[in-house]
Amino acid sequence: PDPVELNRFIRKNFKVYRSAGRNDKQEMLVTGYYEPLFAGSLTRTPPFIHPLYQVPESLVHQSKQRLGRIDENGKFVPFWSRREIESTHLLKGAELVYLQDKLDAYLLHVQGSGRIQLQDGSVRAVHFGASNGLSYNSLGKLFVDEGIMDIAEVNIESIRRYFHDHPEKLDQMLQHNPRFIFFKWGDDKGARGSFGQVLTANRSIAIDHDALPTGAIGYLVSRRPVLDVNGEINHWRPFGRFVLPQDSGSAIKGPGRVDLFMGRDEYAAKAAGIMKEPGMLFFLLPKTESEKPL
């Protein structure tokens, strides 16, 4: 429909609420995520030595929110941290696939799903299986707190360059985040959100479902980068579009955060790594019959 007709329909049938946001201006921090593609191997063959793990048998769900393990005394305790897992062979035998870059494996932990191109040329999807239940510490925030970069400089490419120049810092900084993700093989339909639905590029969003309404249609206003032929930012373009809250994330907490799924192409990989934009998020909640105008 044309804008006037659409506006009339929405006002008649829906109540429109703006998210509380993260400050007095009801402003959201809008970030992006994508479905990465990395080379991998089903066997540990150099250079493919960094494993993604499937959900281990030792992981115990005491409740929906509490995950851990049973120790040698039969007591429920927190599951092993990233540092403990990566520094030992505690999960030997639970390897799902091997990657050639440890940062790639970490990025898959952050994105939650992705695709692996195996050595025979085939591509298989990996999806989120479970986490170790520990808290999430942001790698980007660590770069800022350590005075390595300003917040405006932090993106995937700048982090890659830093670790290329300072490989001795890689383990220490990645292990600052104790949260660890376990994976399972997926299908070829695309990345899936926390509700199991296939995500739609530039329409699916991740929010904190304890703070914002699940199942409501959203409308997101922000801006996104426009890239030149060299893949560099040429300018930023405002956008407004209907979105669906179909995902969640350990870093997406409170009413002032929204993460836009940007797809799986080269643009998505570039744009998702640099999206840290202010925005507004609205929700459309259906009116009851008595609330609708005659």
Side-chain angles (χ1 to χ4, degrees):
D2 64 62
V4 174
E5 183 181 347
L6 177 60
N7 183 52
R8 184 182 301 119
F9 174 83
I10 290 174
R11 288 181 180 274
K12 177 182 177 181
N13 294 284
F14 294 91
K15 292 176 287 187
V16 180
Y17 292 91
R18 185 172 174 179
S19 172
R22 58 181 181 144
N23 52 35
D24 293 338
K25 298 179 180 180
Q26 293 182 289
E27 189 177 81
M28 306 290 291
L29 173 61
V30 184
T31 52
Y33 67 114
Y34 73 111
E35 185 184 20
L37 172 66
F38 296 127
S41 172
L42 295 176
T43 58
R44 190 182 189 280
T45 306
F48 300 99
I49 60 173
H50 303 290
L52 298 181
Y53 291 97
Q54 58 191 322
V55 181
E57 294 181 0
S58 52
L59 183 68
V60 175
H61 290 69
Q62 191 178 62
S63 66
K64 186 176 181 180
Q65 285 79 28
R66 293 198 67 194
L67 293 90
R69 61 184 178 86
I70 305 299
D71 69 9
E72 59 274 10
N73 298 316
K75 182 181 178 182
F76 179 84
V77 296
F79 202 80
W80 295 299
S81 68
R82 176 179 299 276
R83 182 184 303 277
E84 291 171 311
I85 292 171
E86 293 181 346
S87 302
T88 65
H89 298 288
L90 293 168
L91 298 184
K92 185 174 177 60
E95 298 90 350
L96 185 69
V97 65
Y98 296 87
L99 305 185
Q100 59 184 339
D101 189 304
K102 195 168 189 176
L103 182 59
D104 288 349
Y106 183 89
L107 291 175
L108 272 171
H109 285 224
V110 174
Q111 302 299 327
S113 63
R115 294 170 296 144
I116 309 299
Q117 184 164 28
L118 300 174
Q119 296 309 286
D120 62 3
S122 63
V123 176
R124 296 187 67 178
V126 288
H127 292 165
F128 175 92
S131 78
N132 62 352
L134 301 184
S135 61
Y136 171 83
N137 291 338
S138 167
L139 179 62
K141 185 176 184 300
L142 179 63
F143 271 84
V144 175
D145 291 345
E146 294 288 326
I148 298 171
M149 299 178 191
D150 294 331
I151 189 168
E153 299 173 311
V154 176
N155 57 57
I156 292 175
E157 290 190 3
S158 63
I159 289 174
R160 281 195 186 279
R161 289 194 297 269
Y162 179 83
F163 285 136
H164 178 271
D165 296 337
H166 305 85
E168 74 283 359
K169 295 284 190 178
L170 180 65
D171 286 347
Q172 171 194 343
M173 296 190 73
L174 296 188
Q175 290 170 4
H176 171 74
N177 177 20
R179 190 173 180 86
F180 198 88
I181 303 302
F182 307 110
F183 294 89
K184 59 185 177 181
W185 291 118
D187 52 40
D188 59 359
K189 294 181 179 180
R192 292 181 182 269
S194 54
F195 298 117
Q197 298 162 316
V198 176
L199 301 179
T200 301
N202 301 305
R203 295 290 182 184
S204 298
I205 59 172
I207 59 172
D208 182 348
H209 296 280
D210 291 329
L212 297 172
T214 297
I217 297 172
Y219 191 82
L220 179 63
V221 178
S222 186
R223 65 175 194 160
R224 57 190 300 159
V226 176
L227 308 181
D228 61 22
V229 292
N230 298 315
E232 301 299 325
I233 298 176
N234 182 277
H235 61 280
W236 291 80
R237 176 181 298 164
F239 73 89
R241 58 176 46 216
F242 290 104
V243 291
L244 293 171
Q246 297 175 315
D247 207 357
S248 58
S250 54
I252 310 302
K253 296 300 181 185
R257 288 286 285 108
V258 58
D259 211 12
L260 176 65
F261 177 67
M262 307 192 80
R264 58 165 57 171
D265 58 14
E266 290 185 14
Y267 172 81
K270 179 79 175 185
I274 56 179
M275 276 283 288
K276 293 191 290 287
E277 295 302 300
M280 298 178 288
L281 180 61
F282 302 86
F283 289 97
L284 282 63
L285 302 184
K287 290 182 178 180
T288 64
E289 288 301 318
S290 63
E291 292 174 317
K292 295 180 182 180
L294 297 177

